[in-house]
Amino acid sequence: MPQYHPPLRDMHFVLHELFNVADELKLLPAHADVDVPTINAVLEEGGKFASEVLFPLNLSGDQEGCTHDKTTHAVHPPKGYKQAYQQYVEGGWPALAADPAYGGQGLPIVVNHCLYEMLNSANQAWTMYPGLSHAAYECIRAHGTEQQKNTFLPKLTSGEWTGTMCLTEPHCGTDLGLLRTKAEPQADGSYKLSGQKIFISAGEHDLVPNIVHLVLARLPGAPEGSKGISLFAVSKYNVNADGSLGGRNGIFCNAIEHKLGINGSATCPMILEGTNGTLVGQPHKGLAAMFVMMNAARLGVGNQGVGLTEVAYQNAAAYAKDRTQMRSLSGPKMPNQPADTIIVHPDVRKMLLTARAYAEGGRALGVYIALLIDKELSSDDEDERKESADLVALLTPIVKAFLTDNAWLATSHCLQVFGGHGYIKEWGMEQYVRDARINMIYEGTNTIQSLDLLGRKILGDNGAKLKKFGQLIRDFVEEEGTNEAMQEFVNPLADLGEKVTKLTTELGMKAFGNADEVGGAAVDYLRVAGHLVFAYFWARMAKLALEKQGSGDPFYTAKLHTARFYFAKLLPETAGLIRTARTGVAPLMAMDEAMF
Ligand SMILES: Cc1cc2nc3c(=O)[nH]c(=O)nc-3n(C[C@H](O)[C@H](O)[C@H](O)COP(=O)(O)OP(=O)(O)OC[C@H]3O[C@@H](n4cnc5c(N)ncnc54)[C@H](O)[C@@H]3O)c2cc1C
């Protein structure tokens, strides 16, 4: 049976030693009271909830899946999900990072982010139900009317209702400009919606009495394409003036999808017929309003990748220390046993260390960006808000795509450590691989993330945001320039920084001649950029580990070994990626379509 132990020690390292989160939060008026003991206590309790309540439902939920009742349109998640959700609500977890004005606890996003990593490790499918509620909360808070805020935010905050995002339609996924769902204005200022949405996560379920759907639709006479999309709040049950639930609204789930992974999460086609809705934000500006939700969700998906990488690593490491098979090439390590444990084999170690380096590097990047979001939302210094927002914009596609691509690689490696036992269901490893696959697809495929990074975030602003991150690297390299012990980390970091600058300029020039050049290079480019970001954080973690070598705590020795592994065995992948990015788009576009 699989196991999961909340990685609190590494979280403490990242939060308190690497980023001094409590000191940073003290500078933000909304979070000035948040100290180290508070953060640790919350995460300890959150870890217990994840490992003791959610984790035991992971395998069974995957095997059982959801059921749909065609007559009533009801969807029932697997056994135990509802009780776990009730415990989640009773524990006050949905309110953790919500505004006290709506009943929230007002803790920073960075704490919520760490909680969610543990929920994702324990049970990604279950975590989909509350996961989008916070994103819906953020969207309504940023763009809703006072009435919408008062109606929906307290219920989303308490967890009494959950939220969804309804974008995708059968003919329109990536290209939302094609969407057809209609919204007709009514005399009372509300709208009647009609159309079909597909693949809606947690679109229908019985964990809560009501669901708030944020739906993209077109107003009559709206401009074509993405400039004619508006956003609407739709409640499963109509809400009376006093806040109580009225009659059923015209939004129904007519089936559930049967899919590769996250089987406990209901993925719902939704039919809208004469559905009551209210406009969120301005007419035709729905996509911009929805981006608040999509960006929050993209970071959440990156965090799903880290969660799965961590839990897969823990299980593979435990197995590798237990399973005996063959002898070490350099002579028996367990001479009294008929064979050595497989952890003596270099390639088994490579697979384990890959997963570990991706989990710990991903955790550092995730916490960093979550803290930036806290600054963007809560700093009283306008410059700091803007700087933080720029870095968040730059790093969001990297978090979404790099961390989820890494999770797919890492979970596959961890399955491989189990050999044939990884491929059968009993050990739980094949579920991690299946669950990890969706993270590369939804919230904008990883290809779309790479186009967003290279085309919009980097070339689109002449590299201004990239330069900001580059400055952090240059400052660090300069600080450590004379530190002999750090050269093994600082030199490759500085070298990669220069190569990325050159590659960016080269791709920018090529894109002037042929815009397809961006599409041909973007995926390789994002992976190189991801490694640059990881190299920066791994170098910073190595510095701390070197400084604390004398403490005798093996945590720092392990951290240093993992950093060395990362620089020796993973970062060099960038050389090949840069070469393929530079070969241009011609080998991709030369073949005539008919020849495929
Ligand atoms: C389990 C699950 C849960 C989901 N949950 C939700 C949800 O809660 N709400 C919601 O609205 N949607 C949800 N989705 C939908 C998901 O976001 C879409 O599947 C995704 O955005 C891709 O759209 P698509 O499937 O139509 O693929 P398409 O858009 O048809 O893309 C097909 C392929 O073409 C590539 N492609 C498309 N355009 C370009 C381009 N310009 N350049 C290069 N490549 C391109 C894509 O990367 C992809 O590889 C979910 C999907 C699944 C499977």
Side-chain angles (χ1 to χ4, degrees):
M1 287 296 279
Q3 51 176 300
Y4 173 60
H5 306 286
L8 294 176
R9 177 66 183 95
D10 198 54
M11 282 185 178
H12 293 168
F13 170 77
V14 170
L15 288 164
H16 307 313
E17 297 177 59
L18 185 62
F19 296 126
N20 295 314
V21 158
D23 289 346
E24 297 271 351
L25 292 171
K26 282 204 175 18
L27 306 173
L28 306 178
H31 303 305
D33 296 341
V34 180
D35 56 12
V36 172
T38 307
I39 295 173
N40 291 354
V42 169
L43 294 183
E44 193 174 334
E45 282 307 305
K48 275 189 203 153
F49 175 77
S51 57
E52 292 171 14
V53 180
L54 294 187
F55 188 62
L57 300 173
N58 194 44
L59 265 181
S60 58
D62 179 59
Q63 281 157 12
E64 186 186 336
C66 300
T67 49
H68 176 252
D69 184 328
K70 279 197 164 45
T71 322
T72 61
H73 305 289
V75 171
H76 304 289
K79 277 186 211 72
Y81 270 39
K82 188 167 181 164
Q83 291 77 359
Y85 189 81
Q86 277 161 359
Q87 275 181 264
Y88 181 74
V89 169
E90 281 158 18
W93 297 110
L96 201 68
D99 188 342
Y102 300 105
Q105 297 176 35
L107 280 167
I109 301 284
V110 70
V111 177
N112 208 40
H113 179 87
C114 292
L115 168 73
Y116 261 81
E117 184 206 304
M118 297 188 282
L119 304 184
N120 287 322
S121 283
N123 195 330
Q124 174 170 327
W126 182 92
T127 305
M128 296 290 289
Y129 293 92
L132 282 165
S133 298
H134 195 81
Y137 159 95
E138 293 285 4
C139 184
I140 296 174
R141 186 163 168 241
H143 296 285
T145 60
E146 277 313 303
Q147 191 180 357
Q148 283 166 336
K149 288 183 195 175
N150 292 333
T151 306
F152 298 122
L153 294 185
K155 300 288 190 188
L156 289 170
T157 299
S158 65
E160 225 175 301
W161 299 351
T162 57
T164 75
M165 53 195 287
C166 299
L167 290 71
T168 308
E169 298 180 7
H171 60 286
C172 111
T174 300
D175 190 354
L176 292 171
L178 299 175
L179 75 79
R180 294 184 192 142
T181 298
K182 289 186 194 144
E184 294 284 344
Q186 305 298 297
D188 64 357
S190 71
Y191 295 81
K192 289 269 185 221
L193 280 76
S194 56
Q196 188 187 358
K197 297 285 174 183
I198 60 165
F199 296 162
I200 304 310
S201 296
E204 179 60 68
H205 59 85
D206 59 9
L207 304 187
V208 289
N210 194 29
I211 300 171
V212 185
H213 304 279
L214 287 174
V215 183
L216 289 180
R218 281 184 189 286
L219 292 166
E224 296 272 298
S226 55
K227 292 202 168 73
I229 298 174
S230 304
L231 179 63
F232 298 85
V234 165
S235 180
K236 175 175 165 183
Y237 285 91
N238 294 312
V239 184
N240 299 319
D242 65 358
S244 62
L245 292 181
R248 186 74 164 83
N249 199 359
I251 181 164
F252 296 101
C253 170
N254 63 347
I256 44 170
E257 304 294 352
H258 300 283
K259 51 197 195 294
L260 180 71
I262 54 166
N263 288 325
S265 165
T267 305
C268 307
M270 305 295 293
I271 304 291
L272 292 96
E273 281 169 349
T275 315
N276 300 317
T278 53
L279 184 70
V280 179
Q282 299 301 309
H284 315 317
K285 301 275 187 237
L287 215 47
M290 192 55 131
F291 256 107
V292 172
M293 189 165 184
M294 282 153 75
N295 277 331
R298 283 172 182 180
L299 299 173
V301 175
N303 207 13
Q304 289 180 325
V306 176
L308 289 178
T309 306
E310 171 67 35
V311 69
Y313 166 74
Q314 288 188 16
N315 284 280
Y319 189 80
K321 287 193 274 188
D322 184 56
R323 174 77 171 170
T324 51
Q325 225 42 212
M326 305 282 286
R327 284 295 184 195
S328 160
L329 291 170
S330 55
K333 299 292 178 287
M334 301 169 75
N336 299 331
Q337 303 286 333
D340 291 329
T341 46
I342 59 171
I343 201 157
V344 303
H345 305 308
D347 193 59
V348 169
R349 286 171 164 254
K350 186 176 175 197
M351 292 190 281
L352 292 174
L353 282 162
T354 299
R356 184 168 176 149
Y358 283 153
E360 294 178 10
R363 181 170 300 123
L365 170 57
V367 166
Y368 177 76
I369 197 166
L371 184 60
L372 282 174
I373 296 173
D374 280 316
K375 292 179 185 177
E376 179 189 349
L377 295 176
S378 307
S379 174
D380 53 8
D381 174 350
E382 198 183 326
D383 288 344
E384 186 177 37
R385 286 202 303 273
K386 161 104 183 59
E387 285 291 298
S388 305
D390 280 350
L391 285 175
V392 170
L394 176 77
L395 295 174
T396 296
I398 296 176
V399 168
K400 159 61 168 80
F402 190 59
L403 301 191
T404 60
D405 284 349
N406 290 348
W408 169 241
L409 292 168
T411 52
S412 177
H413 282 325
C414 291
L415 179 153
Q416 188 81 6
V417 168
F418 282 72
H421 301 272
Y423 197 71
I424 61 164
K425 289 193 179 283
E426 185 188 343
W427 289 89
M429 298 307 286
E430 53 83 49
Q431 186 190 348
Y432 295 133
V433 181
R434 287 186 288 105
D435 285 357
R437 192 62 185 82
I438 186 58
N439 299 334
M440 300 155 79
I441 297 173
Y442 56 23
E443 293 312 331
T445 64
N446 285 1
T447 303
I448 296 304
Q449 302 304 321
S450 71
L451 291 171
D452 180 43
L453 177 73
L454 181 58
R456 225 160 64 86
K457 304 281 173 61
I458 294 186
L459 301 181
D461 76 354
N462 291 321
K465 292 187 191 72
L466 181 65
K467 280 187 197 126
K468 285 184 187 174
F469 196 79
Q471 192 56 49
L472 299 176
I473 295 177
R474 277 188 293 280
D475 291 347
F476 181 74
V477 168
E478 206 170 298
E479 269 164 41
E480 299 304 318
T482 54
N483 182 349
E484 202 49 45
M486 280 297 289
Q487 296 313 297
E488 60 178 306
F489 307 111
V490 163
N491 291 342
L493 171 64
D495 179 55
L496 183 59
E498 280 168 26
K499 287 186 172 136
V500 168
T501 307
K502 275 195 200 140
L503 178 66
T504 309
T505 310
E506 184 179 324
L507 294 177
M509 299 297 284
K510 279 188 180 168
F512 273 125
N514 177 4
D516 265 344
E517 291 289 350
V518 174
V523 169
D524 294 328
Y525 183 91
L526 185 141
R527 203 153 174 83
V528 174
H531 274 300
L532 179 66
V533 172
F534 260 38
Y536 170 63
F537 289 119
W538 266 115
R540 285 182 58 180
M541 292 195 280
K543 177 177 150 68
L544 284 172
L546 278 167
E547 284 167 4
K548 299 196 176 172
Q549 279 306 286
S551 69
D553 183 345
F555 174 87
Y556 299 107
T557 312
K559 189 63 86 180
L560 191 57
H561 285 311
T562 313
R564 287 191 170 129
F565 167 82
Y566 174 77
F567 277 89
K569 298 289 186 194
L570 298 181
L571 189 74
E573 176 193 12
T574 50
L577 291 164
I578 290 172
R579 279 181 69 181
T580 48
R582 294 186 66 198
T583 52
V585 79
L588 305 175
M589 304 310 274
M591 193 152 82
D592 194 273
E593 220 177 285
M595 294 177 187
F596 278 90

